[in-house]
Amino acid sequence: MDAHARSRRKALKVVVGALCTEVGFGMAEESAIETLTEMLQSLLTEIGKSSKAYTELCGRTDVLVTDVLTALIDQGINIESIPAHAFRHNKSVFNPPGQSVPQPIQRVLSAGERQEHHTHIPDHLPPFPDPHTYIRTESHKQPVSEYQLIREKAASYKRDTERAVTRYVAKTGHTQSLFKDDTSSFPLIAVQPHPHPYLMALLPKDQDLDSLDISDVQGVNHGSDTLDPNSSKFDQSDIDTIDNPYLQPIKMPRYKKFKTMS
């Protein structure tokens, strides 16, 4: 069955369903609808063949209304009931099928301009294809070798890695809460003071050492002596306390009294 036959069959099936609804049926099986559709298609086919036969019998090529009425009478249909059936009050009205939108034709990839035939090539031969079919064209981009872009990508990758590690530590490690009543809101990574904090200053880091002043380096060296764990000022209880400035109690500033000149 071709596409035109399937479309006509589908239209007849809709008509049969509408007639069944007008009669009073609420639902029907697929086999019953197919049987009624086949009967209606056979009836219309016989009416068309009979109308064509009466037309050719009279020596005409166009079918007239009298030819169709004669074919209906031959099929045993009461033609006087047709006007009453056409003007029934509960008939179903079908909207005309809309015009189908043609499928857009996909354009073939074209690169460059096609060359015309040379003087020694006849015009009836096919034209030259696109230049990309016989000229080498790059299908990939060259790798980025600029120093600035590489540094930006490395910094972005490092920042994403640090953020992912921070989230992982916050979910799996020990955390501190910003609010004492609610420990699940705003979790913070617990600060663990290092017993030898001066070692962090001695470890190499990714920074510009030339921009540091000599006074800053000397200050770090002198300040590290005060953090010696063997000294008497080092207290073990400072490690157990929370060394987080956001969780420490508020320190009120001291007000100095100024002397008034009499």
Side-chain angles (χ1 to χ4, degrees), residues 176-187:
Q176 299 172 354
S177 178
L178 188 61
F179 303 100
K180 296 182 179 180
D181 298 337
D182 190 3
T183 58
S184 61
S185 299
F186 303 101

Side-chain angles (χ1 to χ4, degrees), residues 12-181:
L12 289 177
K13 192 174 182 179
V14 173
V15 172
V16 170
L19 293 176
C20 294
T21 304
E22 293 178 5
V23 175
F25 289 97
M27 59 183 301
E29 295 181 358
E30 185 70 19
S31 59
I33 296 295
E34 289 292 340
T35 303
L36 294 176
T37 303
E38 185 68 26
M39 294 172 61
L40 179 60
Q41 185 176 1
S42 301
L43 176 62
L44 295 177
T45 303
E46 291 297 329
I47 293 174
K49 290 181 179 180
S50 299
S51 301
K52 182 181 179 181
Y54 284 115
T55 302
E56 294 176 350
L57 181 62
C58 298
R60 291 181 279 104
T61 56
D62 296 335
V63 180
L64 300 179
V65 179
T66 55
D67 300 332
V68 178
L69 293 178
T70 306
L72 291 175
I73 293 173
D74 291 342
Q75 296 295 330
I77 299 175
N78 185 10
I79 59 176
E80 295 181 356
S81 61
I82 294 178
H85 178 75
F87 293 100
R88 64 190 185 280
H89 64 281
N90 61 341
K91 66 178 180 178
S92 301
V93 180
F94 299 97
N95 296 325
Q99 185 177 3
S100 60
V101 180
Q103 295 292 336
I105 301 175
Q106 296 182 358
R107 297 182 179 179
V108 182
L109 177 62
S110 60
E113 297 180 357
R114 294 187 177 182
Q115 297 181 1
E116 298 180 355
H117 286 165
H118 298 284
T119 56
H120 63 278
I121 300 177
D123 295 335
H124 65 273
L125 294 178
F128 282 101
D130 292 336
H132 77 277
T133 58
Y134 56 89
I135 297 178
R136 181 175 179 271
T137 55
E138 298 292 341
S139 60
H140 62 278
K141 295 182 180 180
Q142 294 294 335
V144 179
S145 59
E146 297 182 4
Y147 176 75
Q148 183 179 359
L149 296 178
I150 293 175
R151 291 288 297 176
E152 290 179 357
K153 289 184 178 180
S156 177
Y157 177 76
K158 182 179 179 181
R159 183 170 56 253
D160 296 340
T161 305
E162 291 178 353
R163 186 182 296 111
V165 172
T166 303
R167 292 179 179 176
Y168 175 76
V169 173
K171 290 183 178 180
T172 58
H174 181 62
T175 58
Q176 299 172 354
S177 178
L178 188 61
F179 303 100
K180 296 182 179 180
D181 298 337

Side-chain angles (χ1 to χ4, degrees), residues 225-235:
D225 298 335
T226 58
L227 298 177
D228 190 2
N230 298 326
S231 61
S232 59
K233 296 181 180 180
F234 186 82
D235 191 2

